[in-house]
Amino acid sequence: MQQKIKKAVFPVAGLGTRFLPATKAMPKEMLTIVDRPVIQLAVDEAREAGIEHFVFVTGRNKGVIEDHFDKQFELEETLRARGKTEQLKLLEAERPSAGQTSFTRQQEPLGLGHAVWCARELIGPEPFALLLPDVLIHARPGCLKQMISTYEEKGGNVIAVEEVPPDQVSNYGVVGVSEQAGSSFTINTMVEKPKPEDAPSNLIITGRYILQPEIFHHIANQDPGSGGEIQITDAMKGLMAEQPFHALKFDGTTYDCGNKIGYLMANVAYGLEREDLGDEFRTALNAMLDDV
Ligand code: G1P
């Protein structure tokens, strides 16, 4: 029986410069996919996987994220007074309960590994999930839930991976695997943003992790790596000498909402599958495409 994964870390300190001017005064994590902020979709995925405590590593100008997961008392009272029960139910259903969220700040942009390290006191001595909200994964069950099944079966650390064309590997962390049988396999090496000729495979790290708490010792002693930043991939490589790491080739579709095309595609995909909007949107979209 593995120790239950109860906490998840969401690094949300990034500046979002690729989405300026939208992100001048608003965190990039609050950009919406149809009508849900990107960060809400990551929290939805974590909640579906059984996560009970949501830890956000924020930075300056990210206060709205904290407000988003709070009870908006005046708004909810106004909706109640006006009999808007549907909207009220929507807000209530997705709000974490009091005490289920924690916020800490990454004071300097020293890298993803450093952002995770900032959550060490809030996580404590237990395994936890790490979700990079820019990476939106459309999957049923959700990607983290699929990973929890692998974790329950195998224990250790679990990383979601997917294949990309070899010329794209240098944008990501890349894993090497010993043998591939089925959808989960043992990782034997990993490298952050390798040159295509140095990549151990074309299996990239997709932005979902289940990690044992010993990762924090490795991050604490980790030298800066790719881009001069403290990389979680380098710390995981260190931990790999002590503990097993499993890769899960999850079943689902990834949208990289850190770039504009991925973000636009996510809006189309999530819009098309909406019961209340899908048909009308499809018709409008087809008409628009016929026109261009
Ligand atoms: C981060 C990780 C990388 C991973 C990627 C997924 O990189 O360091 O290993 O493959 O997220 O999107 P970043 O996109 O922050 O440069």
Side-chain angles (χ1 to χ4, degrees):
M1 192 58 183
Q2 316 297 346
Q3 192 174 349
K4 190 172 180 312
I5 309 293
K6 290 193 272 193
K7 296 181 182 172
V9 175
F10 302 86
V12 291
L15 291 177
T17 47
R18 278 189 275 180
F19 280 90
L20 284 169
T23 49
K24 189 177 166 199
M26 180 185 74
K28 62 174 170 156
E29 296 78 12
M30 291 303 292
L31 290 169
T32 52
I33 304 298
V34 189
D35 49 15
R36 295 177 87 70
V38 168
I39 186 65
Q40 177 76 58
L41 290 160
V43 166
D44 292 346
E45 180 186 333
R47 188 189 278 127
E48 181 209 2
I51 298 298
E52 296 165 15
H53 196 102
F54 308 88
V55 177
F56 300 86
V57 181
T58 71
R60 284 173 292 281
N61 298 328
K62 299 282 180 165
V64 176
I65 296 177
E66 193 161 347
D67 292 341
H68 179 75
F69 290 105
D70 191 9
K71 184 174 176 121
Q72 295 298 339
F73 189 78
E74 290 81 3
L75 172 63
E76 294 185 24
E77 284 312 299
T78 307
L79 290 174
R80 202 180 318 278
R82 293 185 185 165
K84 304 246 180 211
T85 42
E86 219 167 282
Q87 285 96 329
L88 198 57
K89 262 198 243 151
L90 182 82
L91 295 184
E92 282 169 352
E94 61 196 33
R95 188 179 55 234
S97 306
Q100 275 193 314
T101 52
S102 296
F103 297 84
T104 189
R105 281 194 179 194
Q106 184 184 24
Q107 297 167 337
E108 295 170 77
L110 298 179
L112 177 59
H114 178 261
V116 176
W117 182 77
C118 292
R120 70 201 178 283
E121 299 287 339
L122 295 164
I123 297 297
E126 54 183 285
F128 63 99
L130 168 62
L131 296 92
L132 310 189
D134 277 356
V135 183
L136 176 59
I137 303 180
H138 186 279
R140 293 214 172 82
C143 181
L144 188 62
K145 192 166 182 178
Q146 295 179 38
M147 293 168 71
I148 298 266
S149 302
T150 303
Y151 166 77
E152 280 168 353
E153 189 192 322
K154 302 193 167 174
N157 302 270
V158 182
I159 303 178
V161 299
E162 67 183 289
E163 287 183 52
V164 298
D167 63 341
Q168 287 176 24
V169 286
S170 32
N171 298 324
Y172 302 97
V174 182
V175 302
V177 295
S178 32
E179 62 194 72
Q180 291 196 35
S183 60
S184 72
F185 21 85
T186 307
I187 297 173
N188 58 21
T189 187
M190 56 180 91
V191 48
E192 183 66 15
K193 305 200 170 74
K195 290 189 196 135
E197 60 271 25
D198 298 334
S201 75
N202 66 337
L203 287 171
I204 61 130
I205 300 174
T206 304
R208 298 291 184 276
Y209 313 71
I210 291 174
L211 297 169
Q212 296 295 327
E214 290 76 19
I215 191 71
F216 293 119
H217 306 312
H218 287 272
I219 304 175
N221 297 311
Q222 189 60 56
D223 290 330
S226 167
E229 298 189 334
I230 298 175
Q231 297 292 350
I232 191 74
T233 306
D234 296 336
M236 293 193 299
K237 194 172 178 197
L239 183 55
M240 235 172 53
E242 298 156 21
Q243 294 182 5
F245 270 78
H246 308 287
L248 175 69
K249 227 171 169 183
F250 61 95
D251 197 6
T253 308
T254 304
Y255 299 95
D256 180 1
C257 292
N259 78 56
K260 286 173 199 161
I261 296 292
Y263 174 71
L264 291 171
M265 283 172 66
N267 266 294
V268 173
Y270 279 65
L272 286 175
E273 68 157 27
R274 280 273 292 256
E275 248 174 56
D276 57 340
L277 305 170
D279 290 345
E280 202 180 329
F281 185 37
R282 187 178 305 275
T283 308
L285 208 54
N286 278 333
M288 191 186 226
L289 290 172
D290 283 346
D291 267 2
V292 287

